[in-house]
Amino acid sequence: MAGEFRFSFGPWNIHEGADPFGPTVRESIGFNQKLAEYKKLKFDGVQFHDDDAVPNMNELTSAQIIQAAKAVKKRLDDHGLTAEFVAPRLWEDPRTVDGGYTSNDPACREYARERSRRCIDIARALDTKLIVLWLSREGTYIRESKDSVLATERLLAALNDMLEYDPEIRIAIEPKPNEPVDHTYIPTTGHALALGARTVDPSRVGVNIESAHAILAGLDPSDEMGFALSAGKLWTVHLNDQNGLKFDQDKTFGAVDLRRALNQVRILDQHEYGKNGEWVGLDVKAMRTQKAEVATKHLRNSREIFLRLLEISRSLKQTDIDGMVGERDYEELEMYVLGKLMA
Ligand code: XLS
Ligand code: MG
């Protein structure tokens, strides 16, 4: 509903703390136990990778996968939770080592497309029609290894394949410019929407904008959101924060730059994000230093920061802003916004 926000996160946002330079530092928490945390943290929506719902899906028939996903749907119901979306995890299997849809190996490309169809089956069993597509390894480590024209055509064919497989699903592409690969083929919102516009059904392709991914591309997340909102294409968000150009940090929303966070909340609020049922997703990770018993505070904090920034955004008086804009006194406007943030 417009003006009211509901929040979601994925089971991967409660995690063991491994990073590229060190192993896990916290015990694994079972999926059921994680579900029990959602309401305590005041979240109602669950985001899924396909194998968060059906972990051994590669060993099951499609009928078995659907049956297993239906059992997960029952567990969601027991906890009063809703599945927001399902994303095919196309970056861990050995067959996706060189990408999924754009892999140079035809057998691997077929694996990625087949896996995506099974992901759609899981979404339907969980009672959601939204598929998120983070195109993880769809790019190159070295430029000469793939042809970017051919790769774009392959991505388009994969999207068409999914749209045709299920005439009701909608696909929200989650752009990211790098990591794990050196450069990806769909680095920004503009690329995602341009690709969607060329599919068999552009009305069913939109975006999931993640704050950190926009920042890594040198862009302002709220402007990326505005671009998608103006096209009616912002179907979910992954809010978080990022301290400069380094690995994807998934920091607590607003933890690095409160003003940048304020502007994301503001653009969402002012353009009635949520009125078509869109969720506020928080793709945040606890710091590795965090002890196990307090390793969900990043979720609690991110939600709270969103709501406090919402209050600040709504306390900005439009007539005052209009006056300063009318005078072109942007120094005064800057101080007005900063003053509210520092109050
Ligand atoms: C990775 C992405 C990922 C997606 C879901 O950088 O943020 O976690 O959100 O597949
Ligand atoms: Mg994300």
Side-chain angles (χ1 to χ4, degrees):
M1 204 196 299
E4 274 178 40
F5 295 97
R6 32 179 214 162
F7 299 87
S8 61
F9 69 86
W12 64 89
N13 296 117
I14 300 178
H15 71 113
E16 298 84 357
D19 70 17
F21 301 97
T24 58
V25 287
R26 296 182 286 264
E27 292 282 307
S28 287
I29 297 179
F31 178 66
N32 260 333
Q33 228 182 313
K34 288 184 183 178
L35 288 187
E37 292 298 313
Y38 275 76
K39 289 280 177 181
K40 289 191 225 161
L41 292 162
K42 301 188 180 147
F43 285 75
D44 301 300
V46 184
Q47 307 182 330
F48 283 92
H49 291 122
D50 48 9
D51 58 4
D52 291 323
V54 185
N56 52 343
M57 62 184 287
N58 279 348
E59 291 135 42
L60 304 177
T61 64
S62 48
Q64 289 169 326
I65 291 172
I66 292 171
Q67 203 187 358
K70 282 186 175 159
V72 175
K73 169 73 172 86
K74 283 214 181 70
R75 279 194 257 162
L76 290 179
D77 292 345
D78 292 343
H79 289 277
L81 297 170
T82 304
E84 184 199 353
F85 68 65
V86 185
R89 199 193 297 272
L90 290 173
W91 53 92
E92 289 190 355
D93 189 275
R95 284 164 287 191
T96 59
V97 71
D98 191 25
Y101 314 126
T102 65
S103 169
N104 282 319
D105 180 336
C108 294
R109 292 201 297 275
E110 182 41 38
Y111 164 76
R113 286 168 68 154
E114 177 61 22
R115 170 96 180 213
S116 306
R117 293 190 279 268
R118 298 290 77 79
C119 170
I120 293 170
D121 292 344
I122 292 173
R124 298 309 299 252
L126 294 178
D127 200 23
T128 176
K129 291 175 186 158
L130 188 62
I131 303 297
V132 160
L133 214 49
W134 171 45
L135 298 165
S136 167
R137 298 187 195 274
E138 312 295 2
T140 53
Y141 298 91
I142 67 155
R143 266 284 146 288
E144 299 82 0
S145 65
K146 289 181 188 173
D147 173 337
S148 53
V149 173
L150 186 57
T152 307
E153 278 153 20
R154 286 177 172 161
L155 288 172
L156 193 55
L159 283 171
N160 284 339
D161 194 33
M162 283 181 256
L163 294 168
E164 276 163 355
Y165 177 70
D166 185 327
E168 286 186 339
I169 54 128
R170 297 189 308 152
I171 301 172
I173 299 173
E174 182 179 334
K176 182 176 180 183
N178 64 299
E179 200 202 32
V181 291
D182 191 25
H183 288 287
T184 59
Y185 290 125
I186 307 297
T188 68
T189 308
H191 288 84
L193 294 187
L195 190 68
R198 293 174 57 202
T199 62
V200 287
D201 190 353
S203 73
R204 290 193 287 132
V205 186
V207 283
N208 172 17
I209 295 182
E210 173 157 330
S211 324
H213 297 182
I215 296 163
L216 286 169
L219 300 168
D220 178 75
S222 72
D223 282 352
E224 290 287 281
M225 289 172 191
F227 184 78
L229 282 165
S230 108
K233 291 294 191 184
L234 189 59
W235 296 345
T236 185
V237 289
H238 266 174
L239 302 185
N240 56 21
D241 215 346
Q242 172 73 24
N243 199 0
L245 299 183
K246 50 170 77 81
F247 65 95
D248 183 4
Q249 296 183 293
D250 293 335
K251 286 172 87 71
T252 289
F253 181 55
V256 178
D257 188 334
L258 268 181
R259 186 179 185 181
R260 186 167 62 193
L262 171 74
N263 282 308
Q264 293 170 66
V265 173
R266 191 163 169 78
I267 199 85
L268 296 176
D269 189 38
Q270 293 199 316
H271 295 278
E272 302 188 315
Y273 178 84
K275 77 166 179 250
N276 302 311
E278 301 90 348
W279 293 78
V280 176
L282 290 157
D283 196 2
V284 288
K285 297 262 171 64
M287 290 176 240
R288 192 165 191 262
T289 44
Q290 199 69 356
K291 289 181 186 161
E293 57 279 18
V294 286
T296 57
K297 285 190 174 173
H298 58 304
L299 290 158
R300 179 202 68 182
N301 294 352
S302 293
R303 180 182 171 281
E304 193 175 318
I305 289 166
F306 181 98
L307 291 172
R308 287 172 68 172
L309 289 173
L310 183 62
E311 268 175 46
I312 293 175
S313 173
R314 288 179 178 173
S315 78
L316 295 170
K317 288 202 186 67
Q318 196 55 48
T319 44
D320 290 356
I321 294 177
D322 290 346
M324 292 176 258
V325 169
E327 291 298 321
R328 215 177 65 211
D329 191 354
Y330 298 154
E331 294 290 355
E332 196 61 32
L333 178 56
E334 176 133 280
M335 197 55 201
Y336 178 61
V337 174
L338 291 176
K340 290 282 186 182
L341 273 172
M342 289 188 293

